[in-house]
Amino acid sequence: SRLASRLGNARITLFLLVLQAASLLGAWLGSEKAALVFIVLAGLACSAIYPSLLALTSLMFKTVEGSALGILSTLAGLGSIGICWLNGLVSQRTNVAFGFCVLVGASCMAFALFALNYRRVHDEETAITGGARTGTN
């Protein structure tokens, strides 16, 4: 929470999305020994993205906080089911190595989507918190 109060949830989320996409790409393209390290990093990033998005959502949608968090949770569940299903389908039709590209692609798309909206989200978060943090710009 101290890190979030200093840097902001939008910046942390962007960093985590970059870490996850880069880690999955490294696991996919790297050697077998390096893949283990990259998978661990991707798992750590993945486990921190959802709480970071929850914090950001609760900040940005105060008037409809319950609904916003419910929608985010529902879509997170549906997305994780869909990505696992698609990964299995692609792996079954081709091979496991190529099926892994579904995870890499989904991560890269999540990063790209958030990066395209980052400035707006960051500015809105800064306006809500009053810009009291150090190092937000």
Side-chain angles (χ1 to χ4, degrees):
S1 66
R2 182 175 172 101
L3 189 61
S5 68
R6 292 186 55 83
L7 297 176
N9 290 309
R11 191 172 282 169
I12 291 171
T13 303
L14 184 67
F15 170 75
L16 290 170
L17 288 168
V18 168
L19 178 63
Q20 184 181 30
S23 297
L24 287 173
L25 192 61
W28 186 40
L29 299 175
S31 68
E32 292 174 5
K33 292 179 181 179
L36 179 62
V37 173
F38 285 124
I39 291 294
V40 169
L41 286 174
L44 289 172
C46 184
S47 67
I49 289 171
Y50 183 67
S52 179
L53 284 175
L54 282 177
L56 194 57
T57 301
S58 67
L59 247 174
M60 294 177 66
F61 299 100
K62 279 284 187 206
T63 57
V64 290
E65 187 174 5
S67 296
L69 293 175
I71 290 169
L72 179 65
S73 297
T74 300
L75 292 177
L78 291 174
S80 64
I81 291 168
I83 289 171
C84 288
W85 172 79
L86 189 59
N87 185 14
L89 181 69
V90 170
S91 294
Q92 182 180 5
R93 305 255 171 152
T94 59
N95 59 46
V96 174
F98 187 72
F100 198 74
C101 76
V102 171
L103 300 176
V104 174
S107 257
C108 289
M109 286 186 345
F111 164 68
L113 181 64
F114 194 80
L116 288 172
N117 293 294
Y118 173 74
R119 178 57 52 199
R120 184 183 57 78
V121 172
H122 179 266
D123 291 346
E124 190 171 336
E125 180 187 17
T126 303
I128 290 168
T129 59
R133 290 188 293 273
T134 58
T136 56
N137 291 328

